[in-house]
Amino acid sequence: MQITQLNLPDRMIDLGVGQPAISLLPLEAMKTAAEHRLSQRDPSPLQYGTEQGNGYFRQALAQFLSQGFYTSVDPDELFITAGATYGLDLICTYFAQPGDTIFVEEPTYFLALHIFADRRLNIVSLPVDQNGLIIEALEEKLAEHRPAFVYTVPTFHNPSSVTLSAPRRERLAGLSEEHKFLIVADEVYHLLAYTVTPPPPLKTYDRGETVLSLGSFSKILAPGLRLGWIHAARPLLKRLTRSGLLLSSGGLNPFTSSLVLSTLELGLQDDHLRFLKNTYRHRSAVLSDALQEFLPPATTFSEPQGGFFIWLSLPAGMDTGKLRQVARPKNVNFQPGVNFSSRQGLQNCMRLCFVYYGSEDLREGVRRLAGVLP
Amino acid sequence: MQITQLNLPDRMIDLGVGQPAISLLPLEAMKTAAEHRLSQRDPSPLQYGTEQGNGYFRQALAQFLSQGFYTSVDPDELFITAGATYGLDLICTYFAQPGDTIFVEEPTYFLALHIFADRRLNIVSLPVDQNGLIIEALEEKLAEHRPAFVYTVPTFHNPSSVTLSAPRRERLAGLSEEHKFLIVADEVYHLLAYTVTPPPPLKTYDRGETVLSLGSFSKILAPGLRLGWIHAARPLLKRLTRSGLLLSSGGLNPFTSSLVLSTLELGLQDDHLRFLKNTYRHRSAVLSDALQEFLPPATTFSEPQGGFFIWLSLPAGMDTGKLRQVARPKNVNFQPGVNFSSRQGLQNCMRLCFVYYGSEDLREGVRRLAGVLP
């Protein structure tokens, strides 16, 4: 019986998996949090919650985020979601219509492309370099299109691991105000910073009430909780809280919110995030070192400064989709670059993830990968 | 700080509230369930779950529903949602497009009307009598329209409390197969049967893979859990499980599912449902008796056989929207009928709910209501 989303063959090392390992999940912390919350003789977390999310939870979350972002977060600018994906889904419903044009990065989060395709949105892609989304390319496309929104992963990008520089954040927010498009910033990796402090989330740069920043407990606590937030100006959040959907459901995850409130109050979330950052920083270095040791020099990548991923570029003309057919029988796998392209490009690239496996498997995976490279 | 969705003035008795009372929520059961589940040293409920929902949970749920429905439920025909509202939202995304026509009942669940309006669906309404949706009216409208789906509350209807008869269920399912429209059956009150055994849910009558039955733990356990299901044929469920949304999020509520699995395994859900049915059956009788005792004979209603509501009809020409302005200063409130109409009708009706208040408040509320009736 399949329990979790992932179902891997026994000896496979799948460096394409973008999930935390089961062994890293905070079972003890959640047990402590549940005991703490459910011993308080307060049944209100079991009732329909306020549409925006419980106020005490939003206060504690704002405090936690203010520390993590090094900038003040207003609890009234937080809307609690059932995960970042659900947040993105809500934004597609309430801020776009089928047939609308949206801009995405090339590469971009591959499952967001599926979501946008399901919504019949027209996708226009924008290139990315070492400092993130290239603003000049955005300006050019704005002369041709009027997008409903720009979808960006500004910090520790999925899959390319780059971070949008502070000056570009300023310019992106300015263009958004000037051209009246929304920015949907998928910032779920922001708090997983290993070797740098990234610029604050895009919401911080918002001048025209045009930025929706998506956050999630999936990357910092546990995916199965289905808990996240949208950080945005009040008028944007009101479009959500006054929707029929929210009036009918009440808050999107009040019970789980109340348990996660306990993880914040008891310092368990802080402890777990510290543990994850230490673990992932180490794994990131192990994967980088192994790639440098085993792969041919024509294969290039940048060492990640945070997040989950390394984006590997093979020589032009290589096809990682085909390479995967050779790799799988050798018990190694990865995400081919084409999955992250909205126009069948990036075929010489691949995404590797360093959070799912421990050091030995990471090194063995790279050894196997080197064995199938020509 | 507002904790729950509801925020009532102190002395108000609001018979319009359609929620369980805080005091009826199963805090001890959820505490026991959390201890049971989180002591099992299995962190998998914290991981991304399978898109359709955890298999063990679907098996236990199928067994529970088979008993409650008096008909066999296949776990592979269950898809786990984050509540019935979210289920309806998913159906709007994956089975309809803005501009599509849908059929609803008159009256219908008022917040579903908001959700459909947000989705820019064209609403055509169908009348209801003591045996539910009038099939001849549906047949007439099918000559004029080709709906994406018919939204119906077949059992212990919200707000009118009527139940669709078995022969009509057969005919509705037959028409759905013949005319190729979907049936979206909101069956969240089905298990709250007090004085009758209703016909099984509409899924049972499905012949052409056209029925989606929505269920929820909100009415039988706790709304704050945001946990429900869609009961439908596999090909319909695949549209959901293979969506970008589900591939990205994994299962919609794996952590809470795992705790509710414990309430099923430990018999806590059975106990709580029995408790709720006894409590609500009594409250239903108290409200019915009080209405007969205090209200003028021209005010008519049917005694509910299950669910949450009594639908009160005042003499034609009365306007319960205006009446509410007189009632509120007297500290009594209700849902005016017009809210449940997609065409500004039902102005002489009102919805009263008997699950939120205890006997004394119910009787006092009706006394106050009688005082403002002309």
Side-chain angles (χ1 to χ4, degrees):
Chain A
M1 176 100 47
Q2 194 178 343
I3 306 296
T4 58
Q5 195 180 23
L6 192 63
N7 211 7
L8 289 177
D10 242 10
R11 299 163 48 98
M12 175 65 77
I13 296 178
D14 189 346
L15 299 172
V17 171
Q19 303 182 357
I22 287 267
S23 61
L24 299 178
L25 294 170
L27 183 62
E28 277 309 306
M30 287 311 299
K31 187 165 176 249
T32 305
E35 279 166 4
H36 177 256
R37 181 59 48 193
L38 300 175
S39 300
Q40 291 183 23
R41 316 193 74 73
D42 172 16
S44 63
L46 295 171
Q47 184 59 292
Y48 290 102
T50 52
E51 289 82 359
Q52 193 172 349
N54 176 283
Y56 294 109
F57 178 57
R58 286 188 290 106
Q59 275 186 342
L61 178 59
Q63 195 181 346
F64 171 74
L65 294 178
S66 297
Q67 285 168 6
F69 294 166
Y70 301 100
T71 184
S72 174
V73 172
D74 178 350
D76 288 337
E77 295 190 329
L78 294 173
F79 168 83
I80 305 306
T81 66
T85 297
Y86 192 16
L88 187 58
D89 187 56
L90 286 170
I91 290 168
C92 287
T93 300
Y94 293 99
F95 296 100
Q97 287 294 318
D100 281 358
T101 292
I102 61 162
F103 290 179
V104 305
E105 292 157 326
E106 174 86 358
T108 189
Y109 171 46
F110 69 114
L111 292 172
L113 289 175
H114 284 241
I115 292 171
F116 300 144
D118 288 348
R119 295 298 190 136
R120 305 188 190 185
L121 298 171
N122 298 320
I123 290 176
V124 170
S125 69
L126 304 170
V128 165
D129 67 15
Q130 281 304 312
N131 291 312
L133 178 66
I134 298 174
I135 303 296
E136 289 73 15
L138 168 60
E139 284 175 319
E140 278 170 31
K141 293 289 185 193
L142 284 171
E144 296 167 47
H145 304 276
R146 199 188 158 95
F149 60 79
V150 172
Y151 173 74
T152 173
V153 187
T155 306
F156 312 133
H157 187 269
N158 178 5
S160 74
S161 98
V162 300
T163 292
L164 191 68
S165 68
R168 289 192 185 179
R169 286 173 196 237
E170 291 280 10
R171 288 177 64 197
L172 175 58
L175 285 170
S176 150
E177 188 188 14
E178 186 185 332
H179 292 264
K180 308 221 179 301
F181 61 85
L182 294 176
I183 298 169
V184 179
D186 188 342
E187 315 210 48
V188 298
Y189 302 104
H190 190 102
L191 293 166
L192 293 173
Y194 312 137
T195 59
V196 294
T197 300
L202 271 174
K203 169 65 179 76
T204 311
Y205 297 85
D206 188 14
R207 300 189 301 206
E209 299 180 343
T210 56
V211 181
L212 296 140
S213 281
L214 296 168
S216 175
F217 284 94
S218 290
K219 312 300 179 194
I220 59 173
L221 198 60
L225 300 171
R226 307 315 305 141
L227 192 66
W229 62 89
I230 298 175
H231 185 196
R234 287 173 186 76
L236 293 176
L237 297 186
K238 273 188 188 158
R239 296 272 292 277
L240 302 175
T241 56
R242 294 181 178 178
S243 67
L245 177 65
L246 267 291
L247 292 175
S248 178
S249 72
L252 294 178
N253 209 348
F255 175 72
T256 303
S257 296
S258 78
L259 270 49
V260 173
L261 173 57
S262 288
T263 73
L264 293 168
E265 287 176 355
L266 302 174
L268 301 166
Q269 170 66 85
D270 284 329
D271 292 347
H272 191 68
L273 180 55
R274 202 174 304 115
F275 162 73
L276 286 182
K277 284 172 71 171
N278 286 333
T279 306
Y280 293 166
R281 182 191 295 113
H282 177 67
R283 292 183 178 189
S284 165
V286 167
L287 181 59
S288 295
D289 291 349
L291 291 171
Q292 255 148 9
E293 186 177 339
F294 298 116
L295 292 199
T299 303
T300 60
F301 68 96
S302 298
E303 272 196 50
Q305 300 172 314
F308 272 24
F309 306 111
I310 288 182
W311 183 241
L312 212 60
S313 294
L314 277 55
M318 295 280 299
D319 182 341
T320 55
K322 285 185 187 151
L323 186 65
R324 189 147 83 140
Q325 292 165 26
V326 187
R328 277 174 170 164
K330 305 287 185 188
N331 283 317
V332 63
N333 202 0
F334 50 82
Q335 288 279 355
V338 70
N339 288 1
F340 304 89
S341 171
S342 55
R343 51 189 188 199
Q344 293 292 310
L346 306 169
Q347 295 187 348
N348 65 317
C349 300
M350 67 173 72
R351 189 191 78 175
L352 305 177
C353 172
F354 51 78
V355 310
Y356 188 74
Y357 291 102
S359 303
E360 274 187 49
D361 283 340
L362 286 172
R363 285 180 62 82
E364 174 59 23
V366 175
R367 256 188 231 108
R368 293 180 192 172
L369 186 61
V372 299
L373 282 178
Chain B
M1 177 96 51
Q2 195 178 340
I3 305 296
T4 58
Q5 195 180 23
L6 192 64
N7 211 7
L8 289 178
D10 242 8
R11 298 163 48 98
M12 175 65 77
I13 296 178
D14 188 346
L15 300 172
V17 171
Q19 303 182 356
I22 287 267
S23 60
L24 299 179
L25 294 169
L27 183 62
E28 277 309 307
M30 287 310 300
K31 188 166 176 248
T32 304
E35 280 168 16
H36 177 256
R37 181 60 46 194
L38 300 175
S39 299
Q40 290 182 23
R41 314 192 76 72
D42 172 16
S44 63
L46 295 171
Q47 183 60 291
Y48 290 103
T50 52
E51 290 82 358
Q52 193 171 348
N54 176 283
Y56 294 109
F57 178 57
R58 286 189 289 106
Q59 275 186 341
L61 178 59
Q63 196 181 346
F64 171 74
L65 294 178
S66 297
Q67 285 168 7
F69 294 167
Y70 300 99
T71 184
S72 174
V73 172
D74 178 350
D76 288 336
E77 295 191 328
L78 294 173
F79 168 85
I80 305 305
T81 67
T85 296
Y86 192 19
L88 188 57
D89 188 56
L90 286 171
I91 289 168
C92 287
T93 299
Y94 293 99
F95 296 99
Q97 287 294 317
D100 281 357
T101 293
I102 61 162
F103 290 178
V104 305
E105 292 158 326
E106 174 87 356
T108 189
Y109 171 45
F110 69 114
L111 292 171
L113 289 175
H114 283 242
I115 292 171
F116 299 145
D118 288 348
R119 294 297 190 136
R120 305 189 191 183
L121 298 171
N122 298 320
I123 290 175
V124 170
S125 68
L126 304 170
V128 166
D129 67 15
Q130 281 305 312
N131 291 313
L133 178 66
I134 299 174
I135 303 297
E136 289 75 15
L138 168 61
E139 285 175 320
E140 278 170 31
K141 295 288 183 192
L142 284 172
E144 296 167 48
H145 305 277
R146 200 189 157 96
F149 60 80
V150 172
Y151 173 74
T152 174
V153 187
T155 306
F156 312 133
H157 187 269
N158 177 5
S160 74
S161 98
V162 299
T163 292
L164 190 68
S165 68
R168 289 192 186 181
R169 285 173 196 237
E170 292 280 9
R171 288 177 64 196
L172 175 58
L175 286 169
S176 151
E177 189 188 14
E178 186 184 335
H179 292 265
K180 309 222 178 302
F181 61 85
L182 295 175
I183 298 170
V184 178
D186 189 341
E187 316 210 48
V188 298
Y189 303 103
H190 190 102
L191 293 166
L192 293 173
Y194 312 136
T195 59
V196 294
T197 300
L202 271 174
K203 169 65 180 76
T204 312
Y205 297 84
D206 188 13
R207 300 190 299 206
E209 300 181 343
T210 56
V211 180
L212 296 140
S213 281
L214 296 169
S216 175
F217 285 94
S218 290
K219 312 300 178 193
I220 59 173
L221 197 61
L225 300 171
R226 307 316 305 141
L227 192 65
W229 61 89
I230 298 176
H231 184 197
R234 288 172 185 78
L236 293 175
L237 298 186
K238 273 188 189 159
R239 296 271 291 278
L240 302 174
T241 56
R242 295 181 178 179
S243 68
L245 178 64
L246 268 291
L247 292 175
S248 178
S249 72
L252 293 177
N253 208 349
F255 175 72
T256 303
S257 297
S258 78
L259 270 50
V260 173
L261 174 57
S262 288
T263 72
L264 293 168
E265 288 175 355
L266 302 174
L268 300 166
Q269 170 65 84
D270 284 329
D271 292 347
H272 192 67
L273 180 55
R274 201 175 304 116
F275 162 72
L276 286 181
K277 283 172 72 172
N278 286 333
T279 305
Y280 293 166
R281 182 190 294 114
H282 177 68
R283 291 183 180 188
S284 165
V286 167
L287 181 59
S288 294
D289 292 349
L291 290 170
Q292 255 148 8
E293 184 176 343
F294 296 117
L295 292 199
T299 304
T300 59
F301 68 96
S302 300
E303 272 195 51
Q305 300 172 314
F308 273 24
F309 306 111
I310 288 181
W311 182 241
L312 212 61
S313 293
L314 277 55
M318 293 281 300
D319 182 342
T320 54
K322 284 186 187 149
L323 186 66
R324 188 146 85 139
Q325 292 164 27
V326 188
R328 277 172 170 165
K330 303 289 184 188
N331 283 317
V332 63
N333 202 0
F334 50 83
Q335 289 278 355
V338 70
N339 288 0
F340 303 89
S341 171
S342 54
R343 50 188 190 200
Q344 294 291 309
L346 306 170
Q347 296 188 350
N348 65 317
C349 301
M350 67 172 74
R351 188 191 78 177
L352 305 177
C353 172
F354 51 79
V355 310
Y356 187 74
Y357 291 102
S359 303
E360 275 188 47
D361 282 341
L362 286 172
R363 286 181 62 83
E364 174 58 22
V366 175
R367 256 188 231 109
R368 291 180 194 173
L369 186 61
V372 299
L373 281 178

